[in-house]
């Protein structure tokens, strides 16, 4: 089953996508560097950090960096739909690039936990009663790979791999998603946006992954050009970005959620625009392209 070619990817765009990939990886590292506490013998021990560092950590890891994963799904979807796709070949390819690494690292993490839980000087650090491997039954091992959907969780045992899990599922249903969008474009766009905005998850995939995967196809379907973002002036986007980040940190749940979501969208636009400036600078471009080869290990 094939899809018609929809969009050409220029050399510049190809390079910029690699640059964005590096930026996303760096931002994801910041996301997972947020915690300043550890679990020890069932208790949580936190580090005491100055207030200004706590605020800075929150701004970087919980505001600026949150655009990384949505942008990842957006680009993955764009690349998927921008060329002719043989459904079977695509699944084989994704099995190699997504499924095998997913199974390997999730299994490795389970084995690591099992070993650490049976060594006297490390078991106290792996004592969460929900992750004691020797107590796992068949269902627990299944949930470790697909997520405990009955409990409202789509995260695998190695929870940081949730985005790979979602991307595999979205690739399986990509042609169905395309057909539904082609027939009910506005309905799908509004619906997926509302699910994301109001944090309504189906747990098969997250609302975030669904929306930005859908948006990736919209970019191809309506031939939206990256120049639309490139033409936005920094003197406009930066103040608006700062404003959105600031208001997203208010304690008011409604206002903070509105600006939190706005921060995601504005951040995506900012990093896409930034990629052009990096691309136009020869030294920066070569540096980021070299880093792109190392992002797998990051």
């Amino acid at each position: 089953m094939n899809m018609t070619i929809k969009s050409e990817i220029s050399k510049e765009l190809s390079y910029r996508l690699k640059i964005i990939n590096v930026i996303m990886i760096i931002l994801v590292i910041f996301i997972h560097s947020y915690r300043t506490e550890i679990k020890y013998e069932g208790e949580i021990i936190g580090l005491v950090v100055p207030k200004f560092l706590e605020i800075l950590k929150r701004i970087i890891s919980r505001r600026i960096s949150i655009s990384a994963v949505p942008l990842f799904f957006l680009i993955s979807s764009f690349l998927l739909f921008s060329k002719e796709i043989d459904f079977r070949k695509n699944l084989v390819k994704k099995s190699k690039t997504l499924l095998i690494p997913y199974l390997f690292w999730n299994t490795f993490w389970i084995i690591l936990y099992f070993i650490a839980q049976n060594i006297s000087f490390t078991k106290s650090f792996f004592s969460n009663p929900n992750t004691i491997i020797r107590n796992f039954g068949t269902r627990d091992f299944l949930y470790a790979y697909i997520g405990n959907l009955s409990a409202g969780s789509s995260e695998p045992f190695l929870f940081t791999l949730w985005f790979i899990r979602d991307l595999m599922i979205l690739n399986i249903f990509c042609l169905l998603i395309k057909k539904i969008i082609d027939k009910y474009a506005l309905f799908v766009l509004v619906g997926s946006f509302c699910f994301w905005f109001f944090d309504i998850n189906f747990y098969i995939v997250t609302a975030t992954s669904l929306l930005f995967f859908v948006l990736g196809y919209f970019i191809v379907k309506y031939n939206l050009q990256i120049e639309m973002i490139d033409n936005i002036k920094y003197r406009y986007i930066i103040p608006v970005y700062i404003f959105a980040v600031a208001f997203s940190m208010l304690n008011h749940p409604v206002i903070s959620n509105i600006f939190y979501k706005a921060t995601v969208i504005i951040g995506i636009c900012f990093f896409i625009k930034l990629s052009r400036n990096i691309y136009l600078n020869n030294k920066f471009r070569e540096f980021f392209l070299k880093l792109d080869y190392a992002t797998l290990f990051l």
Side-chain angles (χ1 to χ4, degrees):
M1 186 178 297
N2 295 324
M3 289 175 51
T4 304
I5 295 176
K6 291 287 185 180
S7 179
E8 293 291 337
I9 298 179
S10 65
K11 183 179 179 180
E12 176 183 337
L13 181 56
S14 177
Y15 281 168
R16 289 180 64 180
L17 292 178
K18 292 180 180 180
I19 291 169
I20 293 171
N21 180 61
V22 174
I23 295 173
M24 288 190 296
I25 293 295
I26 294 172
L27 293 179
V28 167
I29 292 174
F30 277 114
I31 290 174
H32 294 296
S33 301
Y34 180 76
R35 292 186 178 277
T36 52
E37 68 272 349
I38 61 171
K39 291 182 179 179
Y40 183 79
E41 294 186 341
E43 296 183 3
I44 298 178
I45 302 175
L47 299 176
V48 178
V49 296
K51 185 66 176 179
F52 79 93
L53 283 181
E54 188 68 33
I55 295 174
L56 182 62
K57 181 184 70 171
R58 188 179 174 193
I59 291 173
I60 295 174
S61 297
R62 287 295 182 265
R63 292 301 183 271
I64 295 175
S65 297
I66 58 173
S67 299
V69 175
L71 186 52
F72 170 80
F73 282 103
L74 184 73
I75 292 175
S76 298
S77 176
F78 169 77
L79 292 174
L80 176 67
F81 291 113
S82 63
K83 60 183 180 300
E84 184 176 0
I85 294 179
D86 183 285
F87 182 69
R88 183 175 179 179
K89 288 182 179 179
N90 182 54
L91 286 186
V92 171
K93 178 182 178 182
K94 292 301 187 290
S95 295
K96 294 178 181 178
T97 59
L98 296 177
L99 180 59
I100 292 177
Y102 177 83
L103 294 175
F104 173 81
W105 287 111
N106 212 37
T107 302
F108 174 82
W109 214 246
I110 292 172
I111 295 173
L112 178 66
Y113 262 65
F114 178 76
I115 294 173
Q117 288 166 357
N118 288 278
I119 299 175
S120 58
F121 64 86
T122 59
K123 64 181 181 180
S124 296
F125 296 96
F126 297 84
S127 56
N128 186 329
N130 296 321
T131 59
I132 304 299
I133 306 302
R134 66 174 178 272
N135 296 334
F136 274 25
T138 303
R139 181 179 296 179
D140 297 306
F141 279 109
L142 180 63
Y143 289 160
Y145 288 93
I146 67 171
N148 188 350
L149 303 183
S150 61
S153 173
S154 60
E155 294 179 348
F157 188 84
L158 181 51
F159 69 93
T160 54
L161 299 182
W162 71 267
F163 71 95
I164 295 182
R165 171 194 173 279
D166 278 22
L167 189 58
M168 288 189 296
I169 294 174
L170 290 168
N171 269 269
I172 292 172
F173 293 102
C174 65
L175 295 182
L176 177 61
I177 291 171
K178 175 185 179 298
K179 288 183 179 179
I180 295 175
I181 293 174
D182 287 341
K183 193 170 184 179
Y184 306 105
L186 182 60
F187 175 79
V188 174
L189 180 62
V190 173
S192 57
F193 178 83
C194 289
F195 291 140
W196 171 71
F197 187 84
F198 294 106
D199 297 314
I200 302 172
N201 287 299
F202 298 104
Y203 303 111
I204 298 175
V205 294
T206 64
T208 296
S209 59
L210 178 62
L211 171 63
F212 289 93
F213 192 84
V214 164
L215 289 177
Y217 177 56
F218 268 85
I219 292 173
V220 175
K221 178 179 174 65
Y222 295 104
N223 195 29
L224 303 179
Q225 300 299 311
I226 198 169
E227 288 78 14
M228 295 173 63
I229 294 176
D230 292 339
N231 291 333
I232 302 174
K233 304 295 184 182
Y234 277 118
R235 64 174 179 268
Y236 299 135
I237 194 170
I238 291 178
V240 172
Y241 197 14
I242 294 173
F243 180 85
V245 169
F247 274 78
S248 72
M249 298 181 68
L250 296 177
N251 290 325
H252 193 286
V254 176
I255 294 176
S256 62
N257 183 62
I258 291 172
F259 284 98
Y260 180 88
K261 302 299 185 182
T263 298
V264 175
I265 303 295
I266 299 168
I268 288 175
C269 295
F270 174 79
F271 291 117
I272 290 175
K273 181 174 177 59
L274 180 64
S275 70
R276 175 162 175 78
N277 295 99
I278 295 173
Y279 170 79
L280 293 176
N281 185 296
N282 291 333
K283 291 183 179 180
F284 280 141
R285 180 176 69 242
E286 293 304 316
F287 176 71
F288 272 80
L289 292 178
K290 288 179 180 178
L291 283 180
D292 182 59
Y293 291 105
T295 53
L296 175 63
F297 300 100
L298 294 175

